Amino acid sequence: MPALSPAAMAVSDAELTTLFEGSWRERRTAAWLAAVSRRDHFRERLGALLVESEVCCAGGAYCVALASFGTARDADLLAAYLDRYLRRPDLAYDQPTAMGVLAYIDSFLHGDGARPCFRSGSSVSPRTVMISVWGEGIFLMTSGQCCARCCRSRCLAGRRCAGGS
């Protein structure tokens, strides 16, 4: 995997932009390349693509890319996605992955953005309310906590590819 970083750096921003406009495979590839090459100037684009959820199979890569940048803004973008899609139990997309990534970012920012996603029975935020209303809070909490561990390993692999610690 160490060869991925120089390859990711060789891809131009214009090429990444074109990939972000393609199907799920291209978008997923673009997200990973942005993560590995640490192109955080694609942050807002990744957040918008995640919220739009136009194609399947790419949302997890958007989440991991946001996690690789790991700022409070990335946490906000993930929270915006969760605020929208936890309200839609008919759309089971990347909610557990987004919750796991948000928990991962919180772990090193010492934030608590993910806390409402894992706690039910309170009206602290729309996420909390929706977990209670959805009626699958146990599933979501378990999936999110498990996904936090999985996302952590994916994010750390991406950082290692990028030459970070």
Side-chain angles (χ1 to χ4, degrees):
M1 275 220 276
L4 185 56
S5 183
M9 296 299 292
V11 176
S12 71
D13 282 355
E15 291 168 321
L16 277 180
T17 298
T18 299
L19 289 171
F20 278 127
E21 294 167 357
S23 70
W24 71 268
R25 287 178 183 88
E26 290 87 356
R27 291 179 186 204
R28 190 175 190 169
T29 300
W32 273 97
L33 291 171
V36 171
S37 60
R38 298 181 188 254
R39 293 194 215 179
D40 59 358
H41 53 276
F42 282 102
R43 169 182 291 116
E44 298 301 320
R45 179 77 181 265
L46 287 158
L49 289 170
L50 181 62
V51 169
E52 291 163 8
S53 292
E54 293 177 342
V55 298
C56 68
C57 304
Y62 303 153
C63 290
V64 171
L66 292 171
S68 75
F69 308 145
T71 68
R73 179 62 186 145
D74 302 301
D76 290 344
L77 291 168
L78 290 159
Y81 169 81
L82 290 168
D83 283 341
R84 179 173 183 174
Y85 285 100
L86 287 179
R87 298 175 188 273
R88 295 293 310 270
D90 57 315
L91 301 175
Y93 293 157
D94 297 291
Q95 294 92 327
T97 302
M99 285 188 285
V101 168
L102 185 54
Y104 170 75
I105 291 174
D106 281 351
S107 74
F108 59 83
L109 290 182
H110 305 292
D112 63 356
R115 183 174 303 170
C117 297
F118 298 110
R119 191 177 67 213
S120 62
S122 170
S123 59
V124 173
S125 77
R127 293 183 297 254
T128 304
V129 172
M130 289 317 299
I131 286 176
S132 298
V133 170
W134 196 340
E136 295 186 45
I138 294 170
F139 168 76
L140 286 174
M141 288 186 284
T142 302
S143 296
Q145 290 166 346
C146 176
C147 197
R149 288 188 295 272
C150 176
C151 290
R152 180 178 184 278
S153 65
R154 279 198 238 166
C155 295
L156 291 175
R159 285 181 184 220
R160 279 193 295 273
C161 288
S165 55

